[in-house]
Amino acid sequence: MRSLSGFLVIFGTATFYLYLLSTSLRPGRRGVPPDTESRSLTFPSDLDELRELAEDLQFYKREHQTYVLLLFCSAYLYKQCFAIPGSSFLNMLAGALFGPWLGLFLCCTLTSLGATCCYLLSDAFGKQFVVYYFPEKVAVLQTKVEENRSGLFFFLLFLRFFPMTPNWFLNITSPILNIPLIQFFFSVLIGLVPYNFICVQTGSILSKIKSLDDIFSWGTLLKLLAIAVMALIPGTIIKHLNYDHLRTDTKDNGILLTNGRKTD
């Protein structure tokens, strides 16, 4: 109960802060579009809402660039910290607001920082809940992590590259699996570059996109899968080399023990 209450305090504080930030620019003020009196700044749930939000923020950005940047970063970190789905829309929004390259830099940085905060929150408050509600999934992932412990970083990259892996689940289970925070951070930073790149590039041409199928086509998913397999190869090689080294050491130790018994 103590863990739950602590988490709720943090979640409530972050939500209140984001609400105040999103309502700090009122319609009718200088640099605020007059036709937004009946609209509020909310997370988009489809492409139409994303286009409307992008148009409003592009208008704000002309005279309130710092505010738009702060609002975007805060909203992105909020979603990542509390494992809320919908990062693809924010990635596209970054491309529409900041362009493909600055947008990619922001998304990769914010994804890493937000996922790290999620890791820390799970470590502090969520371990018992994650194990209680997802015992089988945690057990399966625990087995895979232990099997690839010698090449753990490359295995983590594979999990991030692979398009069907739920990133939110990796974020909340990593402290339970004893994954070092440094390896976790850099695996997110590097591993989600292809996904972020695709979304941000799409956002830079947002007006031409008709549906999400235009983003995540089978061709795109196959490319991401190919990248994931390539990321797994170094870890497999390291694991194989470590196994051969361990087998040689065991054999040598056996000989030494046998020789020791003979000399006794």
Side-chain angles (χ1 to χ4, degrees), residues 89-109:
F89 286 116
L90 289 185
N91 288 344
M92 287 188 285
L93 183 61
L97 292 177
F98 307 108
W101 300 113
L102 179 57
L104 178 62
F105 172 78
L106 286 174
C107 288
C108 291
T109 303

Side-chain angles (χ1 to χ4, degrees), residues 114-222:
T116 301
C117 291
C118 185
Y119 177 107
L120 295 174
L121 285 174
S122 178
D123 188 34
F125 304 109
K127 284 185 176 181
Q128 57 191 18
F129 297 102
V130 174
V131 174
Y132 179 79
Y133 286 105
F134 306 101
E136 295 181 358
K137 292 183 178 180
V138 171
V140 170
L141 193 55
Q142 176 75 64
T143 301
K144 294 298 182 182
V145 167
E146 293 304 325
E147 289 176 353
N148 294 275
R149 182 67 68 175
S150 58
L152 181 59
F153 182 71
F154 296 104
F155 179 67
L156 294 176
L157 283 182
F158 169 79
L159 293 179
R160 296 294 178 176
F161 282 141
F162 189 62
M164 300 303 176
T165 303
N167 286 298
W168 65 269
F169 188 70
L170 292 177
N171 295 344
I172 64 176
T173 55
S174 289
I176 301 172
L177 305 178
N178 296 319
I179 294 175
L181 184 58
I182 296 298
Q183 290 193 24
F184 173 85
F185 176 86
F186 284 102
S187 68
V188 176
L189 180 65
I190 299 172
L192 289 181
V193 168
Y195 172 81
N196 290 337
F197 178 78
I198 291 172
C199 293
V200 171
Q201 289 290 326
T202 301
S204 64
I205 54 171
L206 185 60
S207 60
K208 300 178 182 179
I209 302 301
K210 297 181 179 179
S211 71
L212 291 179
D213 293 336
D214 296 335
I215 310 170
F216 300 109
S217 63
W218 279 108
T220 300
L221 293 178
L222 289 176

Side-chain angles (χ1 to χ4, degrees), residues 249-264:
D249 288 348
T250 303
K251 182 179 178 181
D252 292 341
N253 289 337
I255 293 174
L256 291 174
L257 288 173
T258 302
N259 290 340
R261 285 194 294 268
K262 285 182 179 180
T263 55
D264 285 340

Side-chain angles (χ1 to χ4, degrees), residues 13-27:
T13 303
T15 302
F16 183 65
Y17 159 77
L18 189 59
Y19 171 77
L20 290 180
L21 186 63
S22 66
T23 57
S24 63
L25 282 184
R26 295 293 183 181

Side-chain angles (χ1 to χ4, degrees), residues 216-236:
F216 300 109
S217 63
W218 279 108
T220 300
L221 293 178
L222 289 176
K223 290 177 183 178
L224 291 177
L225 179 58
I227 295 173
V229 172
M230 291 177 63
L232 191 60
I233 292 175
T236 303

